[in-house]
Amino acid sequence: MQSQEPFDYNERYGLRKKRSWVGVALITAIVGVGWITWAGLYHSNPEIRVQLISFTVDSDREVSVRYFVERDSAEAVSICTVIARDFYKDIVGQIDVEIPSG
């Protein structure tokens, strides 16, 4: 004889526990947004900025280069290394230019 109660799947298979993924997702989002904000603000203001203005090839063995260097500390002496590369990315020339303080 059958029972009068309707069939209950929860009784047969058990209840699944709810996973609390919302808390983990919230903590991950807060840490991620914080890290991205810090990284963006930290790396947007480097100590030294360099910009290539122009270069001209004067001859087969001579190239003129104009560049701009901006630094946070005016008291520090900076050394700028200028490297010349050929078509295959091999170094064909290198010079170290010392930029005095001021």
Side-chain angles (χ1 to χ4, degrees), residues 1-69:
M1 182 166 184
Q2 293 184 346
S3 67
Q4 301 295 334
E5 297 179 14
F7 182 73
D8 187 15
Y9 284 103
N10 292 333
E11 195 173 297
R12 181 173 181 176
Y13 297 112
L15 293 173
R16 291 189 342 179
K17 294 181 182 178
K18 291 184 178 180
R19 295 189 178 151
S20 178
W21 62 270
V22 176
V24 175
L26 186 62
I27 291 172
T28 303
I30 290 171
V31 170
V33 167
W35 179 78
I36 287 175
T37 303
W38 171 82
L41 292 174
Y42 180 77
H43 291 294
S44 65
N45 295 318
E47 294 180 14
I48 297 175
R49 294 181 187 198
V50 180
Q51 182 178 5
L52 176 66
I53 297 172
S54 67
F55 68 93
T56 55
V57 179
D58 299 329
S59 67
D60 288 342
R61 295 181 170 263
E62 186 177 341
V63 176
S64 299
V65 179
R66 291 183 57 210
Y67 57 92
F68 175 74
V69 177

Side-chain angles (χ1 to χ4, degrees), residues 73-90:
S73 175
E75 294 84 28
V77 176
S78 300
I79 297 176
C80 185
T81 303
V82 180
I83 298 174
R85 298 181 185 265
D86 66 358
F87 183 75
Y88 299 106
K89 308 281 192 232
D90 296 325

